[in-house]
Structures are given as C-alpha cells and as structure tokens.
Amino acid sequence: MSQQILNLVEASSLKSEVPVFDIGDTVDVHTRILEGEKERVQIFNGVVIARSGSGSREMFAVRRIVAGEGVERKFPLHSPKIAKIEVKRSGIVKRAKLYYLRDRIGKAVRLRERRTDIGSKESSGQKKS
Amino acid sequence: MAAPGLLGRKIGMTQIFDEKGAAVPVTVIEAGPCPVLTVRSVDRDGYQAVQLGFRNKPRRLASRAQRGQVAKLDSKRSKRLAAAGSVAVLKADCEPQRFIREFRSSAEDFTVGQVFTVEVFADVKAVDVTGTTKGRGTAGVMKRHGFHGQRASHGVKKVHRHQGGTGMNTSPARVFKGKRMAGRFGNERSTMRNLKVVRVDQENGLLLVRGAVPGPIGGYVVVRPTNKIVRVPTAAPISKKKAASK
C-alpha cells in the first residue's frame, strides 16, 4: 500500500517520455544550465556505464575521457534539467555496470559496436571521443 | 477555524523535482481525514482541547469502550441515565479510530463529528512532525550518543567502539549521574520542527514535507503548523558574489 502511494507521488516527477538508451551506448546528454539570467544547453558526451535506482530516483552515469583524464558524471534520469539524451552509437556489452572501463586506457576503452538497421542511429566511426 | 493539527501516517521517503529542476527529498505523510471525537471545555474538563481520531478500525476489532467513544451505544445504564433526565455526551458518529490524540486549542468553535482533511495545511509553509523513533534496542555509545570510539590500532585492544573514561579517580570516586553510556536507544517521542511543506495533495490526502520524519514507515505521526519563530534579518547580508561583481 505504501509503495503504491509513493509511486503515485513520484508519477508527478517522471518524464512523460523517458529517453531510450542502453548501457554501453555513447550518448550526448543535453543539460540546461542557468547562467545568470540566460539559459543555455551544455552537452556532455560519453559512454553510459551504469543505471541505478528506480522511479523518480533513477540515475545514469556517463564516462568520457577529457585530456587523458577519465571524467564521470551522474545524472538524474527524470530531472527537468536534462533536456535531451541523444544516442550516438551503441556498443556490445555483457554487463549492466561497465566499471571495468575505468581500469582501461587508450584503445582498450573502445567497445564493439552494435549495428542496427532499425532507426537512424549513426553507424560511422569506431573511436571513442 | 482551522484545525490545530492533523494525525497521519508515514508512508515513506522519495524525491521529486521542484519548479527549478532541483531534486527535493520528501517524506510522504498520509494526513487525515481526522474526525473530531470530543471537544474539551474549561467548564466540563478544566482545560480546552480538541480530540482528533485517525484511521478507521474495524468494529469487530474495537472494544466496546472504543466503539462507545465514537458512537452512541445502547446500554441499561444509558437508558437509566436518559430516564433520569441526564444529557448524553455528543458523539462523532463515525467508525472506531486507531490513533487518537488531543490538541490543546484556545478556539472553541469545533463541533463533534466535524472532519478535517489535509487541506488545513494548504496555506501552511512549515510544519512540526511528532512521532515515535525507531527502536534500536540496546545500543552502544557510538550509535546512541555519537561518541567517536577508540582508535583502530596503537595498542587498542577489543575496545574500538567503547567510550573512554567515565570520570575522575579518588575524588569524587564515583561516576556522575547522567553520564552518557550504552543502553536502550530509540522508541521514544521525537519532534522534527520546521519542515517545509512541499506539496499538499488534497485528492489523495497526502502531505509532502521536505526532509525526514521520526519513526518507521507506517508509523503514526502528529502534524502541526510549526511553532518555530522565523527571525527576519534586519538588513540583507551582501553575498560574496555580488560584492565581487561590484
């Protein structure tokens, strides 16, 4: 009973259209940022290495390499500040959490690409940015 | 007259996003509906209060006394009293209630049987929530009083979670009263004050407050408009950012 009521409360904070992406996908996360009075969109590009939580508390973690240094950012999936999540590429992975990528550097970070004929996913490029 | 408070049940915690897009940790409280069971008056009881009930209890589980508290029950005694011309006490005429509490209130215009719902908090900015904390049984000083314990190494043997000393030596040659030690912890009344009301869901009878509330999920709580006095600063302090830009 309690859980049903909590779901009811969370329903108001959920996005009506939940972005579709998988673990191992390379994505562009468009985040709204308020700079003074102006709002602008910042893009964080990287590989989705984990999803956690459920309901309005669901989070996902994106990892990328910036100037040779690994950077990870965790986003609340249902946050209104996440404007858009664009799937750039899909990788073949056998795990739900790709924490093993943290131990890898250089070429070893690359994931094998999953090619799909359905949809308009870009299929060019193999190197992770 | 608005209700002096409401009775409710803790549903659990979750997080929602506010209009700025920030995640707000909230506790969901099922508050009300609360029927007025009794109105205490100075003439009759010596003090002014209003008694509220919360959550119906099946009649088969309620004792005769509990049933008689909320509705008129016929008995030989009541018939005799009525015959003698005694005026019967007003009853709310509702189902027996599981959780009953009195609120001291100076207002007199409560009527027995009147039902308060969560909309009494529609204009309230912050509330105090009283509940019974989770019982933790016998707990050590680290959990119970937040002591730091002892070191992990440097000769400490098997006393890593103990307190240090409990007092002095020959004088006073005793441990002072009130010395904080291990023992029963939790399962006691506790109030969280000044919790911001995030949302009042009249449709489902839910109250969302920012932050945690004492007690387990399903625990009964008393919710009142906060008695915390908000002190308005006389002059707004200049924030560092603004000062720097100037």
Side-chain angles (χ1 to χ4, degrees):
Chain A
M1 186 61 199
S2 292
Q3 195 54 53
Q4 275 100 309
I5 298 175
L6 282 184
N7 290 343
L8 195 77
V9 171
E10 284 181 5
S12 64
S13 282
L14 299 183
K15 278 183 180 166
S16 51
E17 275 178 43
V18 183
V20 179
F21 60 94
D22 282 315
I23 309 290
D25 286 2
T26 303
V27 294
D28 274 359
V29 183
H30 297 244
T31 49
R32 293 199 183 95
I33 289 181
L34 209 61
E35 260 179 10
E37 295 295 295
K38 266 193 195 163
E39 195 182 75
R40 110 191 143 73
V41 171
Q42 196 184 57
I43 297 171
F44 189 85
N45 170 273
V47 181
V48 178
I49 61 163
R51 280 176 86 149
S52 61
S54 64
S56 66
R57 300 180 303 276
E58 186 164 354
M59 308 276 283
F60 64 97
V62 179
R63 180 180 170 86
R64 68 171 297 181
I65 309 288
V66 181
E69 194 65 41
V71 174
E72 281 177 22
R73 252 186 102 172
K74 258 190 135 175
F75 298 96
L77 179 63
H78 291 282
S79 169
K81 289 197 172 170
I82 308 288
K84 196 165 63 169
I85 300 169
E86 249 182 284
V87 178
K88 290 290 186 189
R89 220 176 300 147
S90 299
I92 295 174
V93 292
K94 294 181 171 179
R95 310 236 173 319
K97 311 279 188 229
L98 307 183
Y99 297 142
Y100 66 86
L101 290 181
R102 290 171 178 169
D103 303 328
R104 298 196 175 180
I105 43 168
K107 281 186 172 179
V109 177
R110 290 173 306 172
L111 295 171
R112 233 160 77 220
E113 191 169 340
R114 188 175 66 208
R115 288 174 190 264
T116 42
D117 299 330
I118 319 147
S120 59
K121 279 176 184 170
E122 285 180 28
S123 55
S124 61
Q126 308 91 13
K127 259 191 170 178
K128 217 183 75 68
S129 59
Chain B
M1 172 62 205
L6 275 188
L7 308 178
R9 206 162 68 98
K10 177 169 162 182
I11 298 297
M13 289 193 74
T14 181
Q15 84 180 18
I16 58 169
F17 294 101
D18 65 9
E19 64 281 352
K20 279 181 193 159
V24 184
V26 292
T27 305
V28 182
I29 299 169
E30 183 188 357
C34 296
V36 174
L37 302 182
T38 315
V39 178
R40 306 268 184 220
S41 64
V42 177
D43 297 340
R44 202 184 119 85
D45 310 284
Y47 65 100
Q48 275 187 339
V50 56
Q51 190 182 63
L52 300 183
F54 173 64
R55 243 186 140 208
N56 291 347
K57 187 176 187 174
R59 285 185 208 176
R60 65 189 158 79
L61 295 180
S63 69
R64 192 173 163 82
Q66 287 170 334
R67 278 180 283 139
Q69 186 182 7
V70 295
K72 197 169 169 292
L73 295 182
D74 273 336
S75 66
K76 279 181 190 166
R77 187 167 169 269
S78 69
K79 277 175 195 156
R80 235 185 298 129
L81 284 170
S86 147
V87 182
V89 180
L90 279 172
K91 296 291 166 75
D93 219 11
C94 61
E95 294 297 311
Q97 302 290 301
R98 280 184 188 273
F99 184 54
I100 298 168
R101 286 291 179 274
E102 274 184 16
F103 293 82
R104 288 293 180 109
S105 172
S106 56
E108 286 170 348
D109 48 359
F110 295 109
T111 49
V112 172
Q114 183 182 5
V115 177
F116 289 119
T117 60
V118 74
E119 68 183 292
V120 301
F121 291 121
D123 300 327
V124 175
K125 284 227 165 62
V127 292
D128 294 344
V129 180
T130 305
T132 307
T133 58
K134 284 181 183 173
R136 290 164 179 86
T138 306
V141 287
M142 287 179 70
K143 189 190 261 281
R144 193 176 183 213
H145 300 298
F147 285 12
H148 288 278
Q150 296 183 30
R151 296 217 263 186
S153 65
H154 289 281
V156 176
K157 267 190 179 171
K158 298 175 184 171
V159 290
H160 309 286
R161 292 186 63 86
H162 285 221
Q163 77 275 50
T166 54
M168 291 64 81
N169 201 342
T170 322
S171 85
R174 66 188 176 89
V175 176
F176 289 131
K177 274 192 176 174
K179 178 74 206 156
R180 292 181 295 169
M181 292 186 182
R184 278 276 182 96
F185 180 41
N187 194 22
E188 59 181 11
R189 185 188 153 100
S190 162
T191 304
M192 283 296 285
R193 291 174 72 201
N194 210 13
L195 296 173
K196 199 179 139 215
V197 175
V198 176
R199 189 186 298 166
V200 176
D201 186 346
Q202 303 192 6
E203 197 181 320
N204 301 302
L206 301 177
L207 176 70
L208 271 60
V209 297
R210 189 194 167 98
V213 157
I217 287 170
Y220 292 122
V221 292
V222 178
V223 189
R224 290 187 187 84
T226 187
N227 61 359
K228 196 126 181 166
I229 298 158
V230 182
R231 282 183 219 289
V232 183
T234 45
I238 302 157
S239 68
K240 276 182 187 170
K241 259 189 184 172
K242 271 185 186 170
S245 65
K246 275 172 193 171

